[in-house]
Amino acid sequence: MKKPRIGIFKFTSCDGCQLTILNMEDEIIDIIELFDIAYFREATDKPLRGQFDISIVEGSISTDWQKEEIVDIRENSRHLITIGACATSGGLQALRNWASLSSYKKYVYPTPDIINALSTSTPISDHVYVDYELWGCPINKHALSETLVSFLIGKRPGIPKYSLCMECKRHGIPCVLVSAGEPCLGPITKTGCGALCTSFGRPCYGCFGPKDDANIESLLRHFQNIGLTQKDCMSLLDKMNSYAYRKVRIEGIK
Amino acid sequence: MHIGRCELKALSKIIKVDYLSRVEGEGGLVIEIKDDRTVRLRVNIFEAPRFFESFLRGRPYFDVMDFTARICGICPVAYQMSSVHAIEKIFNIEVEKPIKELRRLLYCGEWIESHALHIYLLNGPDFYNIESAWSSKEYLTIAKKGLYFKKLGNEILTILGGRSVHPISIRVGGFYKMPDKKSLSALLPELKKAYEESLKEIKWVAGLQFNDNSWDTEYVSLIHDNEYPMNYGNVASNKGLNMPMEKFIENVQEYQVNYSTALHSGLKRDSYVSPYVVGPLSRLNLNYEKLPAEIQNMIKEAGISLPITNTHMSIIARSVELAYAFYEAIRIINEYNEYDRSFIDSELKEGEAVWITEAPRGILIHRYELDNSGYVKNCTIIPPTSQNFAHIEADIYRFVQNNIDKPEDFIKKESEKIIRSYDPCISCSVHVVKTRNC
C-alpha cells in the first residue's frame, strides 16, 4: 500500500498544535513509517508539491492571502482536518472580531497603515469544507493519533463531544461550579483535556469550545446569580473560542 | 564609464528564500547584491499579526497568564513567568521559596523541550545537510536522542502544569495546585540518565562544523548573584551594561520596518540604535561561572573556549543549557518537600511594573499597567526574537560581505542557517510594543 501523503499547514496561530505533532515523541517514528509527511514547514525543507491525502491545518484566517491559500489547499487535498482553537473557531485573535481593527493596529504598530490584516479572524470552516475538526487549545495528542489511525483503517475517529462535566464525574473530581461556587465553563464545554483545570481546583476556561447544543444562557444566568456581572460573563466566553461560543449563544437565543 | 540600466541589472543579483523552513512561524529572506556589495538585506516576516497587546487591555489580571501563553506554543511558560512576576510586583507580593523553586523547575522543563526541539529537529539537520530530522537513517538515531530529551522536558511540564503546551497551573501568588513529591521523584531515575547523556552531547555539538563568523558584538542577558538566571536578576551585557529590569526597558528602542510584521529593536546609544543579541549564547557568555563544576569541566573537555563570539555556534550554548536544565531539575526535585500552601493571597493594587525572565530564546520583557479593579490598562511585550532581528540582519550582512564571491546557492543556504541558529520564534515576534503615549 502506498503511504498516504500528509501536508501540515499553518495560518494565524501560536504553533502549539503543530508542536503537539512533534510532542508525540513515542509515536512520531511510527507516523513517519506509516505516512509520507510531504509538507511540514516547521520540521522539514521539503518544498510544496502535488496533492495530499490528508491536509492538517492549524491557525485561523486573518489576512487576504490566507483566504486564497486555504482554497488552494482544499483543492489539492482529499481530506482536510483542522487542528486547534484557531483553526476551528478563530482562536484568541478572533477577539478582534468584536473590536475596531484600526484601533487595534494603532495600539500595536507605530505605522499601522502598512500592516495587512483582515478585520476578522475566522475558522477554516467559514472558508472551505472541512472533513474533520479537532478542537482544543492546544489539541490533545491522543485525539490526533486516534484521528490518524482512524484514517488508516477507514473508521470515524472516536472522539467524544459531550460536556466536560462527564469527565469530572468519571474522575471523581468535586464539582468546582456547585461545591466551590466558581464560574466554571464545564457544563457548556466539550471534553477533551481530561478535566485538567478542575483537577487542579480551578474552573474550566473553555479550551475545547462549546459542546453540541450547549445551553449557554442558562449557565450565564447561574453566573449572574452567584454575583457575576454581564461583563464578567462575556469575558468568560471571550477567550480562545469566543467566536464559537458567541455563535452557539446566538443560535440558542433564536 | 557610464553604465546603462540594463547593464546595471546584469551586475546585480537577488537571492531569495520565500518561506523559511525549520523555524517557528512564517518568514522569508531577500538579499540583493550589486557590484559585489550587499545593497539590501531583509528578513521578511509575513506571519499575520494577532494584536495581543490590544485585546489584553480591559481584561482582568488573572486572564493575563492564560492569554499571553497563547503567543507561543513552544515557550508558553516564559510568557506566564514574565507576566505573573510583573503582576506580583504590582500587587507587592513575593512568592515563597518552594514556589520560586517549582517555577524554576517549570522553566527547566520548558528549556529542555524547547532546546531539544531546536538542537535535534530544527538546527541539527543543517550540520548534516539534510532536509529534516527524519530524512536520513544515520541522523534518525541522533534525532531519537532529541525526542527522548524533549519528552522528559514535557513530562516535567505536565506534572507541574497539567500539560506541556499552555500549562494551566500558574496563578498570581503561586500555583493552583502543588505537585506531589511522589510523581516528581518518579522522574528522577530517567532525569539522571538523561543528564549523563546530555553531558556527552556537549562534545558532539562542539565537534560540528561551523562557518567562521566571529565578531565583536553585544550579548545581553539577565545576571544573578547566586544562580544561572531564569526568573530573577539584573540585565547585563559584555559591554558593561548592568541595570535593573525596569531601567533596561527604557534603554530599548523599538522601531518598525516596512517589510515585517515584527518590530525590530536595539539599544539606545547617544546618536544611534545598536543591535544586540539575546538567548543561550548571551546567557552562557555572561553566566558561565554560575554553572556547576561538572558542566564547566565538560565544556573545557570539549575544547570550547569562552566567551563564544561566533553567533552561529549558539547550538553549543543550547546544548550546555540542556544539560544544565537536567542538572537543575534533579536538584530541585531532590530538595522539594511536600508543601501545602500552593499560593499566597494578594490584594488588588493599581500600578505598573516591568518584569523580565529568560525564555529559552532570551530575555522576554513584559510591562503591565493595572487599574484599581485589577484590569489591564496598558501593556508592553517585547519577545526575544524581536530583539534579535536587527542583529540577525547585521550578522547575515557580515557573512554575505565576507563571502560575496561564493556561489548564490551557498550564500542562500548559509544565510538560512544563520537565521536558524538564532532559533527565531516568529509567532512570538509578531506582537509588538506600544510606546507609552496612549
Side-chain angles (χ1 to χ4, degrees):
Chain A
M1 189 183 107
K2 207 167 153 286
K3 287 185 189 178
R5 274 188 112 228
I6 289 193
I8 297 164
F9 300 89
K10 169 192 155 71
F11 290 93
T12 306
S13 66
C14 80
D15 276 37
C17 294
Q18 280 188 79
L19 184 68
T20 304
I21 302 170
L22 297 173
N23 282 349
M24 296 162 78
E25 292 94 356
D26 296 330
E27 300 91 349
I28 194 148
I29 303 294
D30 297 335
I31 291 175
I32 295 156
E33 291 291 311
L34 295 166
F35 296 91
D36 168 18
I37 299 187
Y39 186 74
F40 188 1
R41 267 337 257 184
E42 190 169 355
T44 163
D45 303 354
K46 267 195 182 145
L48 180 57
R49 259 202 304 266
Q51 307 216 309
F52 300 93
D53 294 304
I54 312 175
S55 285
I56 296 176
V57 179
E58 172 193 271
S60 67
I61 301 296
S62 74
T63 65
D64 271 331
W65 58 266
Q66 289 175 337
K67 279 165 83 173
E68 313 274 319
E69 200 179 327
I70 191 63
V71 172
D72 278 352
I73 293 170
R74 177 67 265 189
E75 283 176 356
N76 286 303
S77 315
R78 278 180 56 217
H79 302 275
L80 191 143
I81 298 172
T82 51
I83 58 167
C86 297
T88 55
S89 85
L92 198 50
Q93 59 276 14
L95 292 176
R96 79 168 79 155
N97 300 4
W98 341 116
S100 122
L101 178 68
S102 60
S103 73
Y104 266 35
K105 276 194 198 174
K106 265 192 218 127
Y107 185 65
V108 174
Y109 292 96
T111 319
D113 300 347
I114 59 170
I115 296 296
N116 290 320
L118 296 170
S119 61
T120 55
S121 163
T122 42
I124 303 295
S125 59
D126 275 18
H127 300 267
V128 294
Y129 178 75
V130 172
D131 293 280
Y132 199 72
E133 289 184 329
L134 278 179
W135 289 68
C137 182
I139 53 164
N140 182 320
K141 65 179 184 184
H142 302 299
L144 183 61
S145 47
E146 162 72 18
T147 307
L148 292 174
V149 168
S150 301
F151 177 87
L152 283 177
I153 58 178
K155 73 170 184 73
R156 244 196 119 55
I159 293 164
K161 300 271 195 292
Y162 46 73
S163 81
L164 179 77
C165 299
M166 308 280 274
E167 200 80 40
C168 275
K169 302 297 165 287
R170 216 174 276 138
H171 283 75
I173 298 167
C175 183
V176 179
L177 181 75
V178 177
S179 54
E182 299 262 15
C184 179
L185 295 185
I188 56 169
T189 300
K190 257 199 283 287
T191 186
C193 61
L196 267 190
C197 286
T198 48
S199 71
F200 273 69
R202 69 176 282 195
C204 159
Y205 64 100
C207 295
F208 279 73
K211 71 168 186 111
D212 293 349
D213 59 33
N215 189 344
I216 297 180
E217 276 325 289
S218 162
L219 186 68
L220 295 191
R221 265 198 306 278
H222 172 76
F223 287 167
Q224 287 176 337
N225 290 340
I226 58 175
L228 269 68
T229 62
Q230 185 68 29
K231 185 184 164 193
D232 296 335
C233 289
M234 277 324 288
S235 85
L236 285 171
L237 296 182
D238 280 343
K239 290 181 180 173
M240 299 77 63
N241 288 297
S242 80
Y243 186 78
Y245 281 114
R246 284 191 182 223
K247 212 163 143 187
V248 169
R249 193 173 170 216
I250 289 163
E251 284 162 3
I253 292 169
K254 281 180 203 160
Chain B
M1 185 185 82
H2 175 74
I3 301 179
R5 273 182 77 169
C6 300
E7 287 155 280
L8 239 184
K9 234 183 178 154
L11 293 175
S12 80
K13 55 181 171 187
I14 293 184
I15 299 171
K16 260 177 99 164
V17 177
D18 288 332
Y19 194 163
L20 296 163
S21 58
R22 282 185 284 118
V23 298
E24 186 289 341
E26 298 174 288
L29 170 72
V30 179
I31 304 166
E32 194 177 340
I33 297 171
K34 206 182 269 179
D35 303 337
D36 282 350
R37 221 162 43 79
T38 309
V39 289
R40 196 163 58 114
L41 193 148
R42 293 172 165 189
V43 177
N44 300 328
I45 299 301
F46 47 84
E47 173 93 22
R50 287 180 292 157
F51 308 108
F52 267 82
E53 291 90 339
S54 302
F55 58 68
L56 275 166
R57 295 167 85 193
R59 298 297 303 203
Y61 73 91
F62 47 79
D63 278 351
V64 173
M65 280 67 70
D66 295 330
F67 274 35
T68 55
R70 266 74 187 180
I71 291 175
C72 177
I74 302 179
C75 52
V77 169
Y79 284 89
Q80 294 183 329
M81 287 296 125
S82 285
S83 53
V84 82
H85 284 95
I87 292 168
E88 283 165 359
K89 191 173 169 188
I90 295 174
F91 292 169
N92 200 13
I93 53 172
E94 190 173 343
V95 293
E96 293 157 304
K97 189 159 188 280
I99 302 285
K100 282 182 183 171
E101 288 282 277
L102 285 178
R103 285 181 176 180
R104 197 170 164 82
L105 178 61
L106 194 67
Y107 238 150
C108 288
E110 180 154 289
W111 280 22
I112 292 168
E113 62 88 13
S114 176
H115 283 354
L117 174 77
H118 193 259
I119 296 167
Y120 295 91
L121 278 87
L122 309 183
N123 197 190
D126 279 341
F127 297 94
Y128 293 77
N129 289 319
I130 48 176
E131 61 184 17
S132 78
W134 50 78
S135 54
S136 97
K137 280 255 180 316
E138 176 211 4
Y139 191 82
L140 200 58
T141 49
I142 299 173
K144 278 180 181 168
K145 263 189 268 185
L147 290 171
Y148 165 72
F149 292 144
K150 194 160 82 65
K151 187 175 174 207
L152 279 168
N154 284 335
E155 281 179 11
I156 294 174
L157 291 171
T158 305
I159 291 175
L160 281 174
R163 61 187 173 202
S164 58
V165 180
H166 308 326
I168 53 103
S169 62
I170 286 291
R171 56 163 295 164
V172 168
F175 283 88
Y176 279 101
K177 190 180 94 179
M178 296 299 260
D180 57 86
K181 173 94 180 167
K182 205 168 68 180
S183 49
L184 281 177
S185 301
L187 286 179
L188 280 174
E190 227 27 81
L191 287 174
K192 284 176 179 156
K193 211 169 95 185
Y195 169 60
E196 295 302 327
E197 279 298 310
S198 64
L199 265 183
K200 288 184 216 150
E201 292 294 282
I202 296 173
K203 275 191 175 159
W204 164 68
V205 291
L208 297 169
Q209 289 296 311
F210 298 98
N211 284 319
D212 181 32
N213 204 50
S214 293
W215 56 307
D216 181 27
T217 185
E218 187 154 17
Y219 295 97
V220 174
S221 89
L222 288 182
I223 54 165
H224 191 278
D225 289 342
N226 334 318
E227 59 189 26
Y228 198 85
M230 282 186 180
N231 284 320
Y232 300 94
N234 263 9
V235 185
S237 84
N238 58 328
K239 303 274 184 201
L241 185 92
N242 186 346
M243 53 181 62
M245 298 171 177
E246 55 278 7
K247 194 110 187 86
F248 179 74
I249 199 171
E250 293 164 15
N251 279 270
V252 176
Q253 173 71 50
E254 294 222 79
Y255 53 96
Q256 189 174 357
V257 289
N258 65 1
Y259 51 85
S260 170
T261 44
L263 288 192
H264 285 206
S265 53
L267 290 170
K268 288 178 197 166
R269 296 286 187 253
D270 295 337
S271 58
Y272 64 100
V273 176
S274 104
Y276 60 101
V277 61
V278 300
L281 203 49
S282 302
R283 280 192 298 257
L284 179 64
N285 282 341
L286 294 166
N287 298 282
Y288 168 76
E289 290 76 25
K290 299 289 177 303
L291 289 170
E294 49 204 272
I295 295 181
Q296 289 186 0
N297 292 338
M298 185 49 88
I299 294 172
K300 286 189 197 108
E301 220 175 291
I304 302 161
S305 55
L306 288 168
I308 298 173
T309 53
N310 179 354
T311 37
H312 309 186
M313 294 167 109
S314 64
I315 191 170
I316 295 177
R318 226 166 263 122
S319 169
V320 168
E321 285 190 344
L322 179 69
Y324 174 71
F326 279 122
Y327 174 94
E328 193 64 355
I330 295 164
R331 180 193 67 78
I332 294 169
I333 294 173
N334 275 327
E335 291 174 8
Y336 174 63
N337 289 316
E338 294 276 337
Y339 187 76
D340 287 340
R341 222 155 53 137
S342 67
F343 64 92
I344 48 172
D345 283 322
S346 54
E347 276 176 26
L348 289 186
K349 278 196 181 65
E350 192 176 4
E352 186 191 319
V354 172
W355 202 274
I356 299 176
T357 68
E358 284 286 358
R361 289 161 187 74
I363 53 171
L364 168 62
I365 309 168
H366 283 220
R367 179 186 66 88
Y368 294 95
E369 204 181 322
L370 300 181
D371 67 15
N372 54 11
S373 341
Y375 286 80
V376 177
K377 258 165 70 176
N378 277 308
C379 66
T380 302
I381 295 169
I382 312 179
T385 297
S386 317
Q387 297 172 72
N388 277 341
F389 272 129
H391 197 276
I392 294 174
E393 288 186 354
D395 205 347
I396 299 174
Y397 188 88
R398 279 180 54 87
F399 179 80
V400 176
Q401 276 321 107
N402 295 336
N403 293 277
I404 207 107
D405 48 356
K406 298 264 174 36
E408 272 182 51
D409 197 48
F410 171 83
I411 294 178
K412 178 177 165 174
K413 276 210 160 60
E414 293 307 310
S415 300
E416 257 193 282
K417 287 180 189 176
I418 293 174
I419 296 175
R420 235 176 258 129
S421 72
Y422 282 82
D423 190 6
C425 186
I426 294 170
S427 296
C428 285
S429 69
V430 183
H431 296 99
V432 231
V433 118
K434 176 68 198 141
T435 42
R436 225 180 293 196
N437 59 1
C438 35

mmCIF file of all heavy atoms in Angstrom, chain B residues 134-157:
data_model
loop_
_atom_site.group_PDB
_atom_site.id
_atom_site.type_symbol
_atom_site.label_atom_id
_atom_site.label_comp_id
_atom_site.label_asym_id
_atom_site.label_seq_id
_atom_site.Cartn_x
_atom_site.Cartn_y
_atom_site.Cartn_z
ATOM 1 N N TRP B 134 14.219 13.407 9.913
ATOM 2 C CA TRP B 134 13.939 12.008 9.601
ATOM 3 C C TRP B 134 14.235 11.667 8.132
ATOM 4 O O TRP B 134 13.772 10.663 7.625
ATOM 5 C CB TRP B 134 12.507 11.620 9.975
ATOM 6 C CG TRP B 134 11.455 12.561 9.446
ATOM 7 C CD1 TRP B 134 10.971 12.622 8.173
ATOM 8 C CD2 TRP B 134 10.780 13.579 10.186
ATOM 9 N NE1 TRP B 134 10.031 13.607 8.067
ATOM 10 C CE2 TRP B 134 9.889 14.217 9.295
ATOM 11 C CE3 TRP B 134 10.834 14.024 11.520
ATOM 12 C CZ2 TRP B 134 9.068 15.272 9.684
ATOM 13 C CZ3 TRP B 134 10.017 15.073 11.918
ATOM 14 C CH2 TRP B 134 9.155 15.670 10.991
ATOM 15 N N SER B 135 15.046 12.517 7.484
ATOM 16 C CA SER B 135 15.289 12.199 6.075
ATOM 17 C C SER B 135 16.570 11.387 5.855
ATOM 18 O O SER B 135 16.903 11.074 4.734
ATOM 19 C CB SER B 135 15.280 13.456 5.204
ATOM 20 O OG SER B 135 16.178 14.388 5.698
ATOM 21 N N SER B 136 17.293 11.070 6.934
ATOM 22 C CA SER B 136 18.408 10.133 6.746
ATOM 23 C C SER B 136 18.442 9.152 7.916
ATOM 24 O O SER B 136 18.208 9.521 9.060
ATOM 25 C CB SER B 136 19.744 10.884 6.631
ATOM 26 O OG SER B 136 20.413 10.926 7.861
ATOM 27 N N LYS B 137 18.753 7.902 7.578
ATOM 28 C CA LYS B 137 18.792 6.844 8.598
ATOM 29 C C LYS B 137 19.843 7.167 9.660
ATOM 30 O O LYS B 137 19.643 6.965 10.842
ATOM 31 C CB LYS B 137 19.136 5.497 7.930
ATOM 32 C CG LYS B 137 17.954 4.819 7.252
ATOM 33 C CD LYS B 137 17.472 3.647 8.123
ATOM 34 C CE LYS B 137 16.305 2.884 7.550
ATOM 35 N NZ LYS B 137 15.208 3.656 6.981
ATOM 36 N N GLU B 138 20.981 7.697 9.191
ATOM 37 C CA GLU B 138 22.086 7.992 10.103
ATOM 38 C C GLU B 138 21.652 9.042 11.134
ATOM 39 O O GLU B 138 21.911 8.913 12.323
ATOM 40 C CB GLU B 138 23.277 8.515 9.280
ATOM 41 C CG GLU B 138 24.457 8.944 10.134
ATOM 42 C CD GLU B 138 25.257 10.082 9.491
ATOM 43 O OE1 GLU B 138 24.842 10.590 8.421
ATOM 44 O OE2 GLU B 138 26.281 10.455 10.071
ATOM 45 N N TYR B 139 20.955 10.059 10.635
ATOM 46 C CA TYR B 139 20.583 11.143 11.557
ATOM 47 C C TYR B 139 19.448 10.737 12.488
ATOM 48 O O TYR B 139 19.323 11.265 13.593
ATOM 49 C CB TYR B 139 20.205 12.420 10.776
ATOM 50 C CG TYR B 139 20.073 13.616 11.704
ATOM 51 C CD1 TYR B 139 21.199 14.321 12.121
ATOM 52 C CD2 TYR B 139 18.829 14.012 12.211
ATOM 53 C CE1 TYR B 139 21.093 15.391 12.997
ATOM 54 C CE2 TYR B 139 18.712 15.080 13.087
ATOM 55 C CZ TYR B 139 19.856 15.768 13.476
ATOM 56 O OH TYR B 139 19.745 16.823 14.360
ATOM 57 N N LEU B 140 18.638 9.799 12.044
ATOM 58 C CA LEU B 140 17.473 9.417 12.850
ATOM 59 C C LEU B 140 17.868 8.967 14.263
ATOM 60 O O LEU B 140 17.164 9.252 15.230
ATOM 61 C CB LEU B 140 16.679 8.312 12.136
ATOM 62 C CG LEU B 140 15.233 8.146 12.583
ATOM 63 C CD1 LEU B 140 14.426 9.422 12.404
ATOM 64 C CD2 LEU B 140 14.547 7.010 11.831
ATOM 65 N N THR B 141 19.022 8.312 14.382
ATOM 66 C CA THR B 141 19.459 7.885 15.728
ATOM 67 C C THR B 141 19.762 9.117 16.593
ATOM 68 O O THR B 141 19.511 9.120 17.792
ATOM 69 C CB THR B 141 20.713 6.997 15.667
ATOM 70 O OG1 THR B 141 21.662 7.659 14.837
ATOM 71 C CG2 THR B 141 20.423 5.625 15.121
ATOM 72 N N ILE B 142 20.313 10.166 15.958
ATOM 73 C CA ILE B 142 20.577 11.417 16.690
ATOM 74 C C ILE B 142 19.244 12.067 17.064
ATOM 75 O O ILE B 142 19.044 12.499 18.199
ATOM 76 C CB ILE B 142 21.426 12.386 15.828
ATOM 77 C CG1 ILE B 142 22.776 11.735 15.500
ATOM 78 C CG2 ILE B 142 21.630 13.713 16.536
ATOM 79 C CD1 ILE B 142 23.634 12.535 14.520
ATOM 80 N N ALA B 143 18.318 12.094 16.099
ATOM 81 C CA ALA B 143 17.019 12.723 16.343
ATOM 82 C C ALA B 143 16.282 12.025 17.488
ATOM 83 O O ALA B 143 15.615 12.677 18.299
ATOM 84 C CB ALA B 143 16.174 12.677 15.077
ATOM 85 N N LYS B 144 16.430 10.707 17.565
ATOM 86 C CA LYS B 144 15.736 9.961 18.629
ATOM 87 C C LYS B 144 16.216 10.388 20.007
ATOM 88 O O LYS B 144 15.432 10.424 20.952
ATOM 89 C CB LYS B 144 15.924 8.455 18.431
ATOM 90 C CG LYS B 144 14.963 7.870 17.412
ATOM 91 C CD LYS B 144 15.173 6.389 17.242
ATOM 92 C CE LYS B 144 14.208 5.823 16.202
ATOM 93 N NZ LYS B 144 14.568 4.460 15.802
ATOM 94 N N LYS B 145 17.515 10.703 20.110
ATOM 95 C CA LYS B 145 18.038 11.222 21.380
ATOM 96 C C LYS B 145 17.304 12.517 21.734
ATOM 97 O O LYS B 145 16.900 12.734 22.872
ATOM 98 C CB LYS B 145 19.531 11.531 21.240
ATOM 99 C CG LYS B 145 20.420 10.409 21.759
ATOM 100 C CD LYS B 145 21.871 10.837 21.806
ATOM 101 C CE LYS B 145 22.551 10.455 20.502
ATOM 102 N NZ LYS B 145 23.998 10.720 20.500
ATOM 103 N N GLY B 146 17.155 13.370 20.737
ATOM 104 C CA GLY B 146 16.465 14.633 20.953
ATOM 105 C C GLY B 146 15.036 14.416 21.425
ATOM 106 O O GLY B 146 14.563 15.089 22.347
ATOM 107 N N LEU B 147 14.357 13.455 20.802
ATOM 108 C CA LEU B 147 12.968 13.167 21.184
ATOM 109 C C LEU B 147 12.914 12.673 22.636
ATOM 110 O O LEU B 147 12.004 13.012 23.393
ATOM 111 C CB LEU B 147 12.355 12.122 20.250
ATOM 112 C CG LEU B 147 12.077 12.590 18.817
ATOM 113 C CD1 LEU B 147 11.670 11.417 17.935
ATOM 114 C CD2 LEU B 147 10.979 13.666 18.788
ATOM 115 N N TYR B 148 13.930 11.875 23.003
ATOM 116 C CA TYR B 148 13.990 11.343 24.368
ATOM 117 C C TYR B 148 14.140 12.489 25.383
ATOM 118 O O TYR B 148 13.423 12.546 26.389
ATOM 119 C CB TYR B 148 15.160 10.348 24.443
ATOM 120 C CG TYR B 148 15.609 9.968 25.825
ATOM 121 C CD1 TYR B 148 14.830 9.134 26.624
ATOM 122 C CD2 TYR B 148 16.831 10.425 26.330
ATOM 123 C CE1 TYR B 148 15.255 8.782 27.894
ATOM 124 C CE2 TYR B 148 17.261 10.068 27.596
ATOM 125 C CZ TYR B 148 16.474 9.248 28.380
ATOM 126 O OH TYR B 148 16.887 8.898 29.643
ATOM 127 N N PHE B 149 15.047 13.426 25.097
ATOM 128 C CA PHE B 149 15.214 14.580 25.999
ATOM 129 C C PHE B 149 13.930 15.401 26.068
ATOM 130 O O PHE B 149 13.456 15.787 27.129
ATOM 131 C CB PHE B 149 16.343 15.495 25.491
ATOM 132 C CG PHE B 149 17.719 14.892 25.567
ATOM 133 C CD1 PHE B 149 18.661 15.158 24.574
ATOM 134 C CD2 PHE B 149 18.094 14.071 26.633
ATOM 135 C CE1 PHE B 149 19.943 14.609 24.639
ATOM 136 C CE2 PHE B 149 19.383 13.526 26.704
ATOM 137 C CZ PHE B 149 20.309 13.796 25.702
ATOM 138 N N LYS B 150 13.389 15.658 24.868
ATOM 139 C CA LYS B 150 12.216 16.537 24.771
ATOM 140 C C LYS B 150 11.053 15.971 25.578
ATOM 141 O O LYS B 150 10.351 16.688 26.287
ATOM 142 C CB LYS B 150 11.814 16.662 23.297
ATOM 143 C CG LYS B 150 10.835 17.783 23.027
ATOM 144 C CD LYS B 150 10.847 18.163 21.562
ATOM 145 C CE LYS B 150 9.994 17.257 20.737
ATOM 146 N NZ LYS B 150 8.586 17.344 21.066
ATOM 147 N N LYS B 151 10.901 14.666 25.488
ATOM 148 C CA LYS B 151 9.790 14.024 26.185
ATOM 149 C C LYS B 151 9.898 14.239 27.692
ATOM 150 O O LYS B 151 8.900 14.510 28.373
ATOM 151 C CB LYS B 151 9.809 12.527 25.858
ATOM 152 C CG LYS B 151 8.604 11.814 26.387
ATOM 153 C CD LYS B 151 8.579 10.369 25.963
ATOM 154 C CE LYS B 151 7.412 9.700 26.670
ATOM 155 N NZ LYS B 151 7.620 8.300 26.870
ATOM 156 N N LEU B 152 11.136 14.158 28.216
ATOM 157 C CA LEU B 152 11.309 14.369 29.656
ATOM 158 C C LEU B 152 10.971 15.806 30.054
ATOM 159 O O LEU B 152 10.383 16.053 31.104
ATOM 160 C CB LEU B 152 12.747 14.036 30.061
ATOM 161 C CG LEU B 152 13.006 12.547 30.258
ATOM 162 C CD1 LEU B 152 14.488 12.267 30.363
ATOM 163 C CD2 LEU B 152 12.305 12.060 31.536
ATOM 164 N N GLY B 153 11.376 16.744 29.224
ATOM 165 C CA GLY B 153 11.024 18.144 29.485
ATOM 166 C C GLY B 153 9.515 18.296 29.537
ATOM 167 O O GLY B 153 8.959 18.935 30.443
ATOM 168 N N ASN B 154 8.838 17.665 28.569
ATOM 169 C CA ASN B 154 7.379 17.732 28.537
ATOM 170 C C ASN B 154 6.748 17.060 29.750
ATOM 171 O O ASN B 154 5.699 17.483 30.231
ATOM 172 C CB ASN B 154 6.847 17.092 27.253
ATOM 173 C CG ASN B 154 7.043 18.004 26.052
ATOM 174 O OD1 ASN B 154 7.126 19.219 26.201
ATOM 175 N ND2 ASN B 154 7.132 17.438 24.868
ATOM 176 N N GLU B 155 7.398 16.006 30.253
ATOM 177 C CA GLU B 155 6.845 15.336 31.437
ATOM 178 C C GLU B 155 6.913 16.227 32.670
ATOM 179 O O GLU B 155 5.996 16.259 33.487
ATOM 180 C CB GLU B 155 7.561 14.003 31.676
ATOM 181 C CG GLU B 155 7.028 12.917 30.737
ATOM 182 C CD GLU B 155 7.715 11.575 30.914
ATOM 183 O OE1 GLU B 155 8.465 11.393 31.898
ATOM 184 O OE2 GLU B 155 7.505 10.708 30.046
ATOM 185 N N ILE B 156 8.019 16.969 32.795
ATOM 186 C CA ILE B 156 8.123 17.918 33.919
ATOM 187 C C ILE B 156 6.993 18.943 33.813
ATOM 188 O O ILE B 156 6.291 19.231 34.787
ATOM 189 C CB ILE B 156 9.495 18.640 33.910
ATOM 190 C CG1 ILE B 156 10.630 17.637 34.174
ATOM 191 C CG2 ILE B 156 9.519 19.761 34.948
ATOM 192 C CD1 ILE B 156 12.035 18.233 34.032
ATOM 193 N N LEU B 157 6.801 19.462 32.603
ATOM 194 C CA LEU B 157 5.751 20.465 32.393
ATOM 195 C C LEU B 157 4.373 19.887 32.714
ATOM 196 O O LEU B 157 3.520 20.562 33.292
ATOM 197 C CB LEU B 157 5.762 20.959 30.940
ATOM 198 C CG LEU B 157 6.964 21.808 30.520
ATOM 199 C CD1 LEU B 157 6.963 22.033 29.014
ATOM 200 C CD2 LEU B 157 6.956 23.154 31.233
#
